[in-house]
Amino acid sequence: MNVLVAGGAGYVGSHAVAALQESGHTPIVLDTLELGHREACRDAELVVGDTADYDLVTHVLKEFEIDTVMHFAAYSRVGESMEEPLKYYINNVVGTLKLIQAMMDTGVKRFIFSSTAATYGEPEKMPIEESITKCPINVYGHSKLEVEEACQWLSKTSDFKYVAFRYFNACGAHKSGEVGEDHEVETHLIPLILQVPMGKREAISIFGTDYDTPDGTCIRDYIHVSDLADAHVRGIDYLVKGGESGAMNLGTGSGYSVRQIIDAARKVTGQEIKAVEAPRRAGDPSELVARADKANNALGWKPVQSDLETIIGSAWLWHKNHPNGYAS
Ligand code: UFG
């Protein structure tokens, strides 16, 4: 299939491009390159442009005879979304609706959307099921939920079909060591931990040690980015075979604390990684763990690279090979 990958030069999108190629599909990347990297697309066709550019998108959908659209292009910094909410609504919501409008006008009916566990907010019951009431606590999560809701109505009122994948904590890198995480402003735990053995940071700060968890630090469900990518490829087949439109969690169902992640990184790198205790970071829920049965059953999907050793080992390989990201 010819698959338009909006945001295919970004972290999760570039791993989807690799997974599509590995399974015989043809990805065509659409990316502004504002945050993405040309090198992350490797030999895939790249169109530089915005999902909100209706004329460009309709042209690309027709020119490349696109069958399915995967959409990863979004702003995703939680803190920034609270400082510049309109930027998030305009890009993540309006930009996505324009993309869908171009799809509908050119007869492209299948849409695979990159959503997030941030749509849930701070649920009390773990693991998190898709059907619980969603109360996002930041603009980023709300912007993704708004798109999900629009997709739901479009699928009820037309022949538009979609899957929204709610990622838990995306991490790791492609097994080749040639595609990985390269954010201009890094806020994620694992790449920040690995900056310590790389000599770029003296210590990792543990944000909060007084949470109501066994070791006092936050618990998250870490899912390898290539397992996420695999679910997206399976999503195409699911929709082609008439699978029901809707949202699915992508996580492992197991949670690890910040301290456990740091310990795992010490084992994988064989280096002492200095950690310092710091105050809580605003807006961090104590625990987020997925119930992923829906994706397991509907897609025949199981994470196969999401044990901590493989996650951290693959991230370590990428960062060692590319100390300055794609610019290396
Ligand atoms: N953490 C630290 N020190 C750091 C960085 C992070 O202790 O230097 C902790 C955080 O407090 C959190 C955990 O490590 O408890 C994971 O933090 P990340 O920033 O890596 O990931 P988040 O869980 O905050 O964010 C993820 C996704 C977001 C999404 C959010 C939903 O990356 O896109 O889940 O809650 F919005």
Side-chain angles (χ1 to χ4, degrees), residues 78 118 140 169 187-189 192 205 207 218 220 281 284 288:
V78 171
Y140 167 63
N169 286 61
T187 59
H188 293 117
L189 180 64
L192 289 176
S205 299
F207 295 150
C218 286
R220 294 288 181 273
R281 186 172 68 178
D284 275 342
L288 289 174

Side-chain angles (χ1 to χ4, degrees), residues 229-241:
D230 174 42
H232 288 70
V233 175
R234 288 167 187 265
I236 300 175
D237 220 34
Y238 171 79
L239 289 179
V240 168
K241 290 188 176 143

Side-chain angles (χ1 to χ4, degrees), residues 78-131:
V78 171
E80 184 187 64
S81 78
M82 300 301 278
E83 284 155 21
E84 297 180 74
L86 260 186
K87 173 176 164 176
Y88 276 68
Y89 287 119
I90 290 169
N91 187 60
N92 295 6
V93 182
V94 179
T96 302
L97 296 180
K98 296 294 276 186
L99 169 64
I100 295 175
Q101 183 187 25
M103 287 175 62
M104 294 184 91
D105 289 353
T106 50
V108 181
K109 299 183 174 68
R110 284 185 292 271
F111 187 59
I112 299 181
F113 178 60
S114 163
S115 189
T116 170
T119 52
Y120 293 114
E122 298 186 292
E124 286 183 359
K125 195 169 157 266
M126 293 297 138
I128 301 170
E129 291 180 19
E130 286 88 352
S131 57

Side-chain angles (χ1 to χ4, degrees), residues 76-78 116-119 121 138 140-141 167-170 187-193 201 204-208 211 217-220 222 258 262 280-281 283-286 288:
S76 63
R77 288 183 208 136
V78 171
T116 170
T119 52
N138 51 61
Y140 167 63
Y167 311 158
F168 281 66
N169 286 61
T187 59
H188 293 117
L189 180 64
I190 293 175
L192 289 176
I193 292 174
R201 168 179 297 269
I204 182 73
S205 299
I206 301 175
F207 295 150
Y211 286 97
T217 67
C218 286
I219 291 176
R220 294 288 181 273
Y222 293 88
V258 174
I262 297 171
R280 290 183 179 200
R281 186 172 68 178
D284 275 342
S286 66
L288 289 174

Side-chain angles (χ1 to χ4, degrees), residues 171 189-190 193-194 197 204 215 222 255-273 275 306-316:
C171 49
L189 180 64
I190 293 175
I193 292 174
L194 294 176
I204 182 73
D215 69 14
Y222 293 88
Y256 293 97
S257 72
V258 174
R259 289 192 203 278
Q260 285 177 307
I261 299 292
I262 297 171
D263 282 341
R266 288 178 177 138
K267 279 201 195 98
V268 169
T269 61
Q271 297 196 39
E272 182 50 44
I273 296 175
S306 293
D307 57 286
L308 287 190
E309 206 181 321
T310 306
I311 285 175
I312 297 173
S314 62
W316 183 227

Side-chain angles (χ1 to χ4, degrees), residues 263-326:
D263 282 341
R266 288 178 177 138
K267 279 201 195 98
V268 169
T269 61
Q271 297 196 39
E272 182 50 44
I273 296 175
K274 189 176 168 196
V276 294
E277 298 188 358
R280 290 183 179 200
R281 186 172 68 178
D284 275 342
S286 66
E287 184 172 357
L288 289 174
V289 176
R291 186 174 172 127
D293 302 31
K294 191 172 172 185
N296 297 158
N297 297 331
L299 308 175
W301 173 79
K302 280 253 179 301
V304 292
Q305 299 185 54
S306 293
D307 57 286
L308 287 190
E309 206 181 321
T310 306
I311 285 175
I312 297 173
S314 62
W316 183 227
L317 178 67
W318 157 255
H319 288 293
K320 271 194 305 188
N321 285 352
H322 301 85
N324 298 309
Y326 288 102

